Amino acid sequence: DAKTTQPPSMDCAEGRAANLPCNHSTISGNEYVYWYRQIHSQGPQYIIHGLKNNETNEMASLIITEDRKSSTLILPHATLRDTAVYYCIVRVGGGKLIFGQGTTLQVKP
Amino acid sequence: EAQVTQNPRYLITVTGKKLTVTCSQNMNHEYMSWYRQDPGLGLRQIYYSMNVEVTDKGDVPEGYKVSRKEKRNFPLILESPSPNQTSLYFCASTSILGTEAFFGQGTRLTVV
């Protein structure tokens, strides 16, 4: 599985969009980009995933660059409850998740 | 409701006293795994199971055992706990071809 690089921390104002970047320059053609988040010490929660195309669901949008070497998770209107550690993971399919250190997002009033 | 249930949520025990942390999922998932989370080290996989009676070591298996006698259950066994196993533990499940992994609420274990 390819390695990912994320900034250790970010701040965002409540109600504004939060844009969380992830670099995965060694991603291979059959690896998906996944995003999970962990609020405080709860179990990680799936957010979204994608292969090549941009994806959107009720929680977030995922923008993947054309060369697939980086991606951005977008929370369109961040709330205080979105304060969490966000993990970007690349993998082929079901099974093992390799977690990095993630990005701690602090949403401020 | 799809869920992964771990018990207990909190446990304080003494060195050497065998314990079991239970994990159960109601989604008929084939793949289940255990992770531990430690400050500065992130989440690391302990053991995983691809299906009933099929288990294998993850990245940090020393000191742990698992079993998969039924599809829904995947208990984590510490035969002789030591203080370095003090950690936050998570059970997870996913279908083999699936995308979303479901995690339990976590078990905070302290070994004194």
PDB file of all heavy atoms in Angstrom, chain B residues 70-85:
ATOM      1  N   GLU B  70     -16.855 -18.382  14.868  1.00  0.00           N
ATOM      2  CA  GLU B  70     -18.101 -17.973  14.208  1.00  0.00           C
ATOM      3  C   GLU B  70     -17.809 -16.718  13.406  1.00  0.00           C
ATOM      4  O   GLU B  70     -16.924 -15.941  13.753  1.00  0.00           O
ATOM      5  CB  GLU B  70     -19.182 -17.651  15.240  1.00  0.00           C
ATOM      6  CG  GLU B  70     -19.478 -18.733  16.218  1.00  0.00           C
ATOM      7  CD  GLU B  70     -20.271 -18.165  17.382  1.00  0.00           C
ATOM      8  OE1 GLU B  70     -19.664 -17.504  18.237  1.00  0.00           O
ATOM      9  OE2 GLU B  70     -21.491 -18.357  17.403  1.00  0.00           O
ATOM     10  N   LYS B  71     -18.592 -16.515  12.374  1.00  0.00           N
ATOM     11  CA  LYS B  71     -18.332 -15.372  11.508  1.00  0.00           C
ATOM     12  C   LYS B  71     -18.503 -14.049  12.228  1.00  0.00           C
ATOM     13  O   LYS B  71     -17.790 -13.083  11.982  1.00  0.00           O
ATOM     14  CB  LYS B  71     -19.275 -15.429  10.294  1.00  0.00           C
ATOM     15  CG  LYS B  71     -18.811 -14.610   9.112  1.00  0.00           C
ATOM     16  CD  LYS B  71     -19.678 -14.917   7.909  1.00  0.00           C
ATOM     17  CE  LYS B  71     -19.134 -14.243   6.661  1.00  0.00           C
ATOM     18  NZ  LYS B  71     -19.953 -14.557   5.475  1.00  0.00           N
ATOM     19  N   ARG B  72     -19.459 -13.971  13.136  1.00  0.00           N
ATOM     20  CA  ARG B  72     -19.766 -12.695  13.749  1.00  0.00           C
ATOM     21  C   ARG B  72     -18.816 -12.316  14.885  1.00  0.00           C
ATOM     22  O   ARG B  72     -18.739 -11.150  15.249  1.00  0.00           O
ATOM     23  CB  ARG B  72     -21.199 -12.699  14.253  1.00  0.00           C
ATOM     24  CG  ARG B  72     -21.487 -13.722  15.338  1.00  0.00           C
ATOM     25  CD  ARG B  72     -22.959 -13.683  15.739  1.00  0.00           C
ATOM     26  NE  ARG B  72     -23.289 -12.433  16.423  1.00  0.00           N
ATOM     27  CZ  ARG B  72     -24.264 -11.615  16.042  1.00  0.00           C
ATOM     28  NH1 ARG B  72     -24.996 -11.894  14.984  1.00  0.00           N
ATOM     29  NH2 ARG B  72     -24.507 -10.524  16.728  1.00  0.00           N
ATOM     30  N   ASN B  73     -18.109 -13.265  15.464  1.00  0.00           N
ATOM     31  CA  ASN B  73     -17.306 -12.980  16.661  1.00  0.00           C
ATOM     32  C   ASN B  73     -15.812 -13.116  16.414  1.00  0.00           C
ATOM     33  O   ASN B  73     -15.365 -14.050  15.735  1.00  0.00           O
ATOM     34  CB  ASN B  73     -17.707 -13.919  17.796  1.00  0.00           C
ATOM     35  CG  ASN B  73     -19.136 -13.710  18.248  1.00  0.00           C
ATOM     36  OD1 ASN B  73     -19.617 -12.577  18.273  1.00  0.00           O
ATOM     37  ND2 ASN B  73     -19.820 -14.788  18.583  1.00  0.00           N
ATOM     38  N   PHE B  74     -15.063 -12.221  17.020  1.00  0.00           N
ATOM     39  CA  PHE B  74     -13.603 -12.229  16.854  1.00  0.00           C
ATOM     40  C   PHE B  74     -12.968 -11.726  18.157  1.00  0.00           C
ATOM     41  O   PHE B  74     -12.526 -10.589  18.248  1.00  0.00           O
ATOM     42  CB  PHE B  74     -13.224 -11.328  15.681  1.00  0.00           C
ATOM     43  CG  PHE B  74     -11.781 -11.433  15.237  1.00  0.00           C
ATOM     44  CD1 PHE B  74     -11.169 -12.657  15.062  1.00  0.00           C
ATOM     45  CD2 PHE B  74     -11.043 -10.283  14.969  1.00  0.00           C
ATOM     46  CE1 PHE B  74      -9.858 -12.751  14.639  1.00  0.00           C
ATOM     47  CE2 PHE B  74      -9.724 -10.360  14.542  1.00  0.00           C
ATOM     48  CZ  PHE B  74      -9.129 -11.597  14.380  1.00  0.00           C
ATOM     49  N   PRO B  75     -12.888 -12.587  19.164  1.00  0.00           N
ATOM     50  CA  PRO B  75     -12.344 -12.146  20.453  1.00  0.00           C
ATOM     51  C   PRO B  75     -10.827 -11.974  20.438  1.00  0.00           C
ATOM     52  O   PRO B  75     -10.121 -12.702  19.736  1.00  0.00           O
ATOM     53  CB  PRO B  75     -12.758 -13.276  21.403  1.00  0.00           C
ATOM     54  CG  PRO B  75     -12.909 -14.475  20.516  1.00  0.00           C
ATOM     55  CD  PRO B  75     -13.385 -13.963  19.192  1.00  0.00           C
ATOM     56  N   LEU B  76     -10.362 -11.032  21.220  1.00  0.00           N
ATOM     57  CA  LEU B  76      -8.919 -10.788  21.404  1.00  0.00           C
ATOM     58  C   LEU B  76      -8.552 -11.291  22.798  1.00  0.00           C
ATOM     59  O   LEU B  76      -9.173 -10.893  23.780  1.00  0.00           O
ATOM     60  CB  LEU B  76      -8.622  -9.296  21.290  1.00  0.00           C
ATOM     61  CG  LEU B  76      -7.158  -8.884  21.477  1.00  0.00           C
ATOM     62  CD1 LEU B  76      -6.311  -9.368  20.296  1.00  0.00           C
ATOM     63  CD2 LEU B  76      -7.054  -7.359  21.617  1.00  0.00           C
ATOM     64  N   ILE B  77      -7.554 -12.153  22.848  1.00  0.00           N
ATOM     65  CA  ILE B  77      -7.172 -12.805  24.095  1.00  0.00           C
ATOM     66  C   ILE B  77      -5.765 -12.373  24.485  1.00  0.00           C
ATOM     67  O   ILE B  77      -4.833 -12.443  23.677  1.00  0.00           O
ATOM     68  CB  ILE B  77      -7.215 -14.341  23.941  1.00  0.00           C
ATOM     69  CG1 ILE B  77      -8.617 -14.766  23.494  1.00  0.00           C
ATOM     70  CG2 ILE B  77      -6.818 -15.035  25.246  1.00  0.00           C
ATOM     71  CD1 ILE B  77      -8.649 -16.068  22.738  1.00  0.00           C
ATOM     72  N   LEU B  78      -5.637 -11.938  25.745  1.00  0.00           N
ATOM     73  CA  LEU B  78      -4.326 -11.650  26.304  1.00  0.00           C
ATOM     74  C   LEU B  78      -4.074 -12.688  27.382  1.00  0.00           C
ATOM     75  O   LEU B  78      -4.675 -12.651  28.455  1.00  0.00           O
ATOM     76  CB  LEU B  78      -4.273 -10.233  26.879  1.00  0.00           C
ATOM     77  CG  LEU B  78      -4.184  -9.068  25.893  1.00  0.00           C
ATOM     78  CD1 LEU B  78      -5.496  -8.863  25.130  1.00  0.00           C
ATOM     79  CD2 LEU B  78      -3.767  -7.793  26.598  1.00  0.00           C
ATOM     80  N   GLU B  79      -3.228 -13.665  27.062  1.00  0.00           N
ATOM     81  CA  GLU B  79      -2.999 -14.783  27.974  1.00  0.00           C
ATOM     82  C   GLU B  79      -2.310 -14.320  29.261  1.00  0.00           C
ATOM     83  O   GLU B  79      -2.633 -14.781  30.351  1.00  0.00           O
ATOM     84  CB  GLU B  79      -2.136 -15.845  27.286  1.00  0.00           C
ATOM     85  CG  GLU B  79      -2.811 -16.529  26.112  1.00  0.00           C
ATOM     86  CD  GLU B  79      -3.604 -17.762  26.529  1.00  0.00           C
ATOM     87  OE1 GLU B  79      -3.682 -18.050  27.745  1.00  0.00           O
ATOM     88  OE2 GLU B  79      -4.158 -18.442  25.642  1.00  0.00           O
ATOM     89  N   SER B  80      -1.340 -13.438  29.126  1.00  0.00           N
ATOM     90  CA  SER B  80      -0.597 -12.952  30.290  1.00  0.00           C
ATOM     91  C   SER B  80      -0.287 -11.472  30.061  1.00  0.00           C
ATOM     92  O   SER B  80       0.820 -11.106  29.646  1.00  0.00           O
ATOM     93  CB  SER B  80       0.687 -13.767  30.471  1.00  0.00           C
ATOM     94  OG  SER B  80       1.388 -13.330  31.623  1.00  0.00           O
ATOM     95  N   PRO B  81      -1.257 -10.625  30.354  1.00  0.00           N
ATOM     96  CA  PRO B  81      -1.091  -9.204  30.041  1.00  0.00           C
ATOM     97  C   PRO B  81       0.102  -8.578  30.760  1.00  0.00           C
ATOM     98  O   PRO B  81       0.419  -8.940  31.907  1.00  0.00           O
ATOM     99  CB  PRO B  81      -2.401  -8.577  30.528  1.00  0.00           C
ATOM    100  CG  PRO B  81      -3.361  -9.705  30.603  1.00  0.00           C
ATOM    101  CD  PRO B  81      -2.569 -10.912  30.927  1.00  0.00           C
ATOM    102  N   SER B  82       0.713  -7.647  30.086  1.00  0.00           N
ATOM    103  CA  SER B  82       1.826  -6.899  30.674  1.00  0.00           C
ATOM    104  C   SER B  82       1.542  -5.405  30.531  1.00  0.00           C
ATOM    105  O   SER B  82       0.723  -5.002  29.692  1.00  0.00           O
ATOM    106  CB  SER B  82       3.140  -7.253  29.975  1.00  0.00           C
ATOM    107  OG  SER B  82       3.086  -6.876  28.619  1.00  0.00           O
ATOM    108  N   PRO B  83       2.210  -4.568  31.333  1.00  0.00           N
ATOM    109  CA  PRO B  83       1.932  -3.118  31.280  1.00  0.00           C
ATOM    110  C   PRO B  83       2.102  -2.504  29.889  1.00  0.00           C
ATOM    111  O   PRO B  83       1.415  -1.526  29.573  1.00  0.00           O
ATOM    112  CB  PRO B  83       2.942  -2.545  32.280  1.00  0.00           C
ATOM    113  CG  PRO B  83       3.117  -3.643  33.280  1.00  0.00           C
ATOM    114  CD  PRO B  83       3.084  -4.911  32.471  1.00  0.00           C
ATOM    115  N   ASN B  84       2.974  -3.071  29.047  1.00  0.00           N
ATOM    116  CA  ASN B  84       3.146  -2.491  27.712  1.00  0.00           C
ATOM    117  C   ASN B  84       1.965  -2.788  26.779  1.00  0.00           C
ATOM    118  O   ASN B  84       1.952  -2.343  25.621  1.00  0.00           O
ATOM    119  CB  ASN B  84       4.470  -2.918  27.069  1.00  0.00           C
ATOM    120  CG  ASN B  84       4.544  -4.402  26.793  1.00  0.00           C
ATOM    121  OD1 ASN B  84       3.555  -5.123  26.880  1.00  0.00           O
ATOM    122  ND2 ASN B  84       5.726  -4.882  26.445  1.00  0.00           N
ATOM    123  N   GLN B  85       0.994  -3.522  27.280  1.00  0.00           N
ATOM    124  CA  GLN B  85      -0.230  -3.741  26.520  1.00  0.00           C
ATOM    125  C   GLN B  85      -1.349  -2.787  26.943  1.00  0.00           C
ATOM    126  O   GLN B  85      -2.467  -2.884  26.442  1.00  0.00           O
ATOM    127  CB  GLN B  85      -0.687  -5.198  26.639  1.00  0.00           C
ATOM    128  CG  GLN B  85       0.280  -6.164  25.958  1.00  0.00           C
ATOM    129  CD  GLN B  85      -0.120  -7.604  26.108  1.00  0.00           C
ATOM    130  OE1 GLN B  85      -0.177  -8.136  27.231  1.00  0.00           O
ATOM    131  NE2 GLN B  85      -0.396  -8.257  24.998  1.00  0.00           N
TER     132      GLN B  85
END
